[in-house]
């Protein structure tokens, strides 16, 4: 069922077996595992079913670290899956390992612990193909570039056939029809109330922006509020533990990571058509789209003490291309030519007939492939793993939000290891493309500047602030995502990642959530 | 931007390739014309001995350099040392224009 706290009498207490705080990818995934079961579940959502500016404003934060371009977290039913582009990939085996050259690296679990949940996670994300990286080329019927595996390896990212899965709309009906899972909209968790010894959470205080207050009493509680808010809620829950719940070791909010993102190099292909065809989006017969890029090999990471890093190649189309002109003339392009442009576009088609013919042939001989257009330029765009750093953190700011709760203060810090890693990847790409004689590579100037902190784009993947560890001296949650020292409090989402890898985190979030749901189910 | 590189990609088999600014960058950072001349002479002798074109001989060196990581970063471009030596070793009058 779907209820709204605004319509409930203030002071209401909701009793349940499991309280899930946050209805994004993690929270909805966990809640769905209990649909139709014997256990009662309350799924709290701060917002409504659609975007509301006043709720979104609760995410406003104070930034004291590296510049952040914009905040792309979304605070309504479905969370940030309401806007994500749906790109998914699994972490590599090396991402889970303790690496002597990466401080604080090493998960207390490995990829094998997540594999039992891989099929279900792919399905939950709407993905049609679940296969290992080295099996995907065969599934697609393609031959990969002959990269030197000691330096580089191919890397696929996958998109769902129907486009990005919006978890809110996709699962609204089944949650609304449920008799044991109650979604409570406009219910902001303001504080987790712990027993006097701090060993259990006995209830969750909730409140609407309009002042309706209540609480949820649950046997088990799971925080699923995202990489910044998970830490914030724990820090705000300080009625028993002055430094916040689970924060005895001053680790909550620390180790904030994102995927620093930046264009690293210009690529000059020998044959633009070959290059665009190879590093392209492939369509599997299921409709899945798989995007091919490259990543650093584990051997090179170890040899040069690098982080993990991947790259995609993007071509900026030459606007005078005959193919683009033809698409405009046929009304197949987003931009329809003005009448004054018609003659010019006809001329462009006529003067670029070789490319037009190539694409017409592709249309009939390779219908799943995109058109290829002479590029004005081709760039290499990289996402790099961020080295865990204690001083990169989320803490509480002095000013307060509309619920009178202290806002998050974000101090995002990046070391030089990330720049060095991106440079090594660009050099490896340059050497490999040179060896294969398929392209030349020019590194961007910023990669050479060793004495300055580069300006990165954040990928909006907030991770690490309640990191998973083998013991409470090293992290906030156990290998089962239980907050150390608090018997019934769990955390789901990318805030538990001890290290980030370089790939988009959602698929891993969903795998971890399914694993956690199985654990919670066994406990209830 | 060294646009001539767009022209030379894959073309070293046919003619001297690297544009002049990269040769100048190589020399400016201490590259040796004497070493380049020695490389060119050696490549000529070897190509004559094997009966292959000089540019084919240089292309083999280039492939090996990229494989082993024997590369230089000149104005941001990643180039094989052998191709820099080859072009630098040529008589300046033969080197490509910028």
């Amino acid at each position: 069922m779907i209820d709204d706290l605004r319509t409930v009498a203030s002071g209401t207490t909701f009793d349940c077996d499991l309280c899930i705080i946050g209805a994004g990818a993690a929270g909805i995934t966990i809640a769905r595992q209990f649909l139709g079961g014997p256990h009662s579940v309350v799924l709290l959502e701060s917002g409504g079913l659609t975007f509301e500016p006043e709720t979104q404003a609760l995410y406003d934060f104070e930034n004291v670290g590296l510049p952040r371009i914009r905040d792309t977290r979304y605070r309504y039913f479905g969370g940030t899956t309401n806007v994500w582009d749906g790109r998914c990939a699994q972490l590599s085996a090396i991402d889970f390992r303790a690496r002597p050259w990466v401080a604080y690296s090493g998960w207390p679990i490995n990829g094998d612990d997540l594999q039992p949940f891989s099929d279900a996670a792919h399905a939950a994300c709407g993905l049609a193909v679940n296969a290992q990286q080295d099996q995907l080329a065969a599934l697609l019927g393609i031959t990969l570039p002959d990269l030197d595996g000691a330096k580089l390896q191919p890397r696929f990212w996958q998109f769902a056939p129907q486009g990005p899965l919006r978890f809110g709309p996709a699962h609204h009906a089944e949650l609304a029809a449920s008799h044991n899972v109650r979604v409570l909209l406009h219910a902001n968790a303001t504080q987790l109330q712990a027993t006097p010894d701090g060993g259990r959470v006995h209830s969750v205080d909730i409140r609407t922006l309009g002042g309706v207050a209540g609480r949820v009493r649950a046997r088990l509680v799971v925080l699923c509020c995202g990489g910044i808010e998970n830490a914030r809620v724990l820090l705000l829950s300080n009625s028993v533990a002055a430094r916040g719940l689970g924060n005895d070791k001053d680790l909550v909010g620390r180790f904030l990571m994102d995927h620093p993102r930046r264009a690293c190099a210009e690529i000059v292909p020998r044959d633009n058509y070959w290059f665009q065809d190879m590093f392209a989006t492939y369509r599997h017969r299921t409709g899945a789209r798989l995007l091919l890029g490259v990543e650093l090999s584990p051997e090179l990471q170890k040899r040069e003490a690098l982080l993990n890093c991947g790259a995609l190649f993007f071509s900026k189309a030459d606007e005078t291309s005959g193919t683009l002109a033809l698409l405009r003339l046929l009304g197949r392009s987003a931009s329809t030519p003005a009448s004054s442009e018609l003659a010019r576009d006809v001329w462009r088609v006529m003067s670029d007939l070789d490319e037009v013919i190539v694409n017409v042939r592709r249309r009939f001989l390779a219908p799943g492939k995109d058109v290829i257009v002479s590029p004005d330029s081709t760039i290499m765009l990289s996402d790099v793993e961020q080295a865990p750093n204690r001083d990169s953190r989320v803490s509480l700011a002095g000013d307060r939000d509309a619920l009178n709760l202290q806002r998050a203060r974000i101090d995002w810090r990046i070391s030089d290891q990330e720049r060095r890693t991106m440079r090594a990847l660009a050099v490896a790409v340059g050497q490999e493309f040179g060896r294969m004689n398929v392209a030349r590579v020019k590194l961007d100037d910023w990669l050479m500047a060793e004495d300055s902190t580069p300006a990165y784009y954040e990928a909006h993947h907030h991770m690490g602030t309640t990191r998973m560890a083998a013991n409470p001296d090293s992290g906030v949650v156990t290998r089962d995502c239980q907050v150390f020292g608090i018997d019934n409090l769990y955390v789901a989402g990318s805030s538990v990642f001890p290290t980030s890898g370089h790939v988009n985190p959602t698929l891993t979030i969903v795998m971890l959530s399914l694993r956690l749901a199985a654990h919670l189910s066994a406990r209830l | 931007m060294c646009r001539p590189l767009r022209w030379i990609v894959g073309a070293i088999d046919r003619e001297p390739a690297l544009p002049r600014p990269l040769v100048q960058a190589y020399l400016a950072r201490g590259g040796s014309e004497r070493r380049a001349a020695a490389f060119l002479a050696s490549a000529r002798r070897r190509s004559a001995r094997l009966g292959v074109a000089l540019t084919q001989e240089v292309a083999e060196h280039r492939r090996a350099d990229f494989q082993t990581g024997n590369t230089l970063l000149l104005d941001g471009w990643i180039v094989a040392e052998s191709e820099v030596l080859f072009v630098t070793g040529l008589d300046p009058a033969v080197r490509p224009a910028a």
Side-chain angles (χ1 to χ4, degrees):
Chain A
M1 69 203 85
I2 295 185
D3 289 332
D4 194 318
L5 184 60
R6 296 178 303 183
T7 64
V8 174
S10 201
T12 300
T13 295
F14 300 87
D15 286 302
C16 61
D17 293 314
L18 174 63
C19 176
I20 302 167
I21 305 172
I28 288 178
T29 298
I30 294 173
R32 290 183 67 227
Q33 305 315 302
F34 290 89
L35 285 170
H39 304 296
S40 57
V41 177
V42 169
L43 174 57
L44 300 175
E45 169 52 51
S46 165
L49 294 176
T50 56
F51 181 85
E52 297 160 355
E54 59 275 18
T55 303
Q56 184 66 25
L58 296 170
Y59 269 161
D60 289 350
F61 59 89
E62 177 189 357
N63 191 48
V64 297
L66 290 172
R68 302 184 72 79
I69 308 302
R70 61 199 169 106
D71 192 2
T72 51
R73 298 175 291 157
Y74 278 78
R75 193 163 173 141
Y76 64 100
F77 188 63
T80 304
T81 67
N82 285 298
V83 294
W84 74 320
D85 74 352
R87 195 195 309 175
C88 288
Q90 293 195 49
L91 292 171
S92 304
I94 191 173
D95 296 325
F96 293 96
R97 293 187 199 133
R99 292 159 284 166
W101 63 94
V102 180
Y104 304 106
S105 61
W107 292 48
I109 61 173
N110 59 42
D112 291 341
D113 293 306
L114 296 181
Q115 275 315 302
F117 307 96
S118 180
D119 283 342
H122 280 75
C125 292
L127 303 175
V129 176
N130 181 14
Q132 298 297 316
Q133 286 286 318
D134 57 5
Q135 299 169 333
L136 286 168
L139 283 177
L140 293 167
I142 62 170
T143 303
L144 292 171
D146 181 28
L147 296 170
D148 177 353
K151 290 182 183 173
L152 287 179
Q153 51 195 33
R155 161 59 84 161
F156 285 99
W157 284 262
Q158 186 179 171
F159 296 87
Q162 309 302 328
L165 187 80
R166 311 290 181 211
F167 278 58
H171 302 302
H172 176 271
E174 61 182 351
L175 289 166
S178 172
H179 296 293
N180 70 311
V181 177
R182 165 184 272 176
V183 177
L184 203 50
L185 301 173
H186 297 107
N188 296 282
T190 56
Q191 176 114 208
L192 309 180
Q193 296 293 354
T195 53
D197 66 356
R200 286 183 64 81
V201 170
H202 60 72
S203 62
V204 179
D205 292 347
I206 53 177
R207 191 156 14 124
T208 68
L209 279 170
V212 178
R215 64 175 178 160
V216 181
R217 280 195 306 224
R219 292 166 61 196
L220 302 176
V221 176
V222 191
L223 267 179
C224 306
C225 302
I228 293 171
E229 297 297 310
N230 278 348
R232 184 183 174 213
V233 172
L234 289 174
L235 294 171
L236 286 168
S237 299
N238 56 6
S239 59
V240 170
R243 294 206 291 190
L245 284 180
N247 199 26
D248 296 350
K249 307 287 184 181
D250 188 24
L251 291 171
V252 172
R254 293 191 181 273
F255 298 100
L256 170 67
M257 300 176 289
D258 202 321
H259 288 129
R261 172 177 292 173
R262 189 150 175 187
C264 289
E266 179 184 356
I267 309 291
V268 183
R270 178 183 189 185
D271 177 342
N272 278 311
Y273 295 152
W274 179 90
F275 195 87
Q276 287 185 56
D277 237 5
M278 177 56 70
F279 294 102
T281 302
Y282 296 88
R283 276 194 190 279
H284 185 250
R285 56 182 167 72
T286 57
R289 292 180 302 130
L290 291 120
L291 180 59
L292 179 62
V294 296
E295 66 182 0
L296 282 174
S297 70
E299 291 88 339
L300 191 59
Q301 290 178 53
K302 182 176 181 182
R303 194 163 61 243
E304 298 190 10
L306 304 170
L307 300 156
N308 207 347
C309 190
L312 291 166
F313 305 98
F314 294 102
S315 296
K316 180 172 178 286
D318 179 353
E319 288 302 316
T320 65
S321 149
T323 304
L324 289 185
L326 182 61
L327 289 173
R328 282 194 293 268
L329 290 168
L330 294 174
R332 300 280 293 276
S333 165
S335 60
T336 306
S339 55
S340 61
E341 283 288 306
L342 277 173
R344 202 168 292 167
D345 273 348
V346 170
W347 170 248
R348 284 170 179 152
V349 173
M350 299 303 292
S351 59
D352 198 11
L353 265 183
D354 53 346
E355 182 185 282
V356 171
I357 289 168
V358 165
N359 280 310
V360 169
R361 282 171 55 86
R362 287 165 65 87
R363 172 70 182 81
F364 292 104
L365 299 179
K369 295 205 167 189
D370 298 329
V371 296
I372 47 180
V373 176
S374 301
D376 192 42
S377 61
T378 301
I379 61 157
M380 176 177 135
L381 184 70
S382 293
D383 276 9
V384 65
E385 173 185 17
Q386 182 176 345
N389 175 355
R390 268 183 67 90
D391 296 327
S392 179
R393 66 185 299 196
V394 173
S395 57
L396 297 178
D399 63 330
R400 293 171 182 267
D401 65 14
L403 293 165
N404 198 33
L405 301 173
Q406 284 175 275
R407 294 190 184 283
R409 173 184 287 138
I410 297 179
D411 188 353
W412 185 39
R413 300 189 190 189
I414 300 174
S415 72
D416 192 53
Q417 199 173 7
E418 288 81 349
R419 183 195 60 82
R420 205 164 53 75
T421 297
M422 281 186 164
R423 175 174 160 149
L425 177 65
V427 168
V429 167
Q431 290 175 344
E432 280 300 281
F433 285 1
R435 179 184 62 79
M436 296 188 296
N437 206 15
V438 296
R440 287 306 183 98
V441 173
K442 181 181 189 296
L443 273 59
D444 285 357
D445 291 344
W446 70 271
L447 283 174
M448 255 71 80
E450 298 188 4
D451 53 349
S452 63
T453 303
Y456 294 102
Y457 294 99
E458 71 274 30
H460 317 294
H461 303 153
H462 312 119
M463 299 166 281
T465 55
T466 63
R467 64 200 322 257
M468 182 192 288
N471 62 69
D473 291 326
S474 309
V476 177
V477 302
T478 68
R479 55 178 281 126
D480 289 324
C481 299
Q482 178 192 333
V483 176
F484 279 112
I486 305 180
D487 179 58
N488 66 337
L489 179 59
Y490 292 83
V491 181
S494 52
S495 66
V496 307
F497 290 13
T499 55
S500 67
H502 71 81
V503 299
N504 306 55
T506 303
L507 185 57
T508 308
I509 290 172
V510 172
M511 290 168 88
L512 280 166
S513 299
L514 291 166
R515 179 172 175 270
L516 174 56
H519 173 84
L520 297 171
S521 183
R523 272 200 71 178
L524 285 172
Chain B
M1 183 64 66
C2 290
R3 279 296 167 199
L5 264 182
R6 186 184 294 279
W7 164 70
I8 65 95
V9 170
I12 198 168
D13 296 346
R14 297 190 296 276
E15 48 197 320
L18 293 186
R20 187 183 294 275
L22 295 197
V23 173
Q24 290 165 342
Y26 170 66
L27 293 173
R29 58 185 274 181
S32 160
E33 285 193 270
R34 180 176 296 178
R35 184 158 172 253
F39 172 83
L40 182 59
S42 164
R44 280 185 169 137
R45 281 196 302 273
R46 186 174 160 80
S47 69
R49 191 169 70 247
L50 297 175
V52 298
L54 173 61
T55 49
Q56 185 182 338
E57 168 67 13
V58 176
E60 286 301 320
H61 276 279
R62 182 185 60 173
R63 193 171 299 115
D65 281 348
F66 278 127
Q67 172 83 51
T68 59
N70 185 25
T71 54
L72 302 171
L73 210 51
L74 298 178
D75 289 351
W77 293 98
I78 298 165
V79 296
E81 184 183 38
S82 52
E83 62 187 339
V84 183
L85 291 172
F86 173 65
V87 180
T88 307
L90 294 171
D91 185 310
V94 199
R95 289 181 200 153

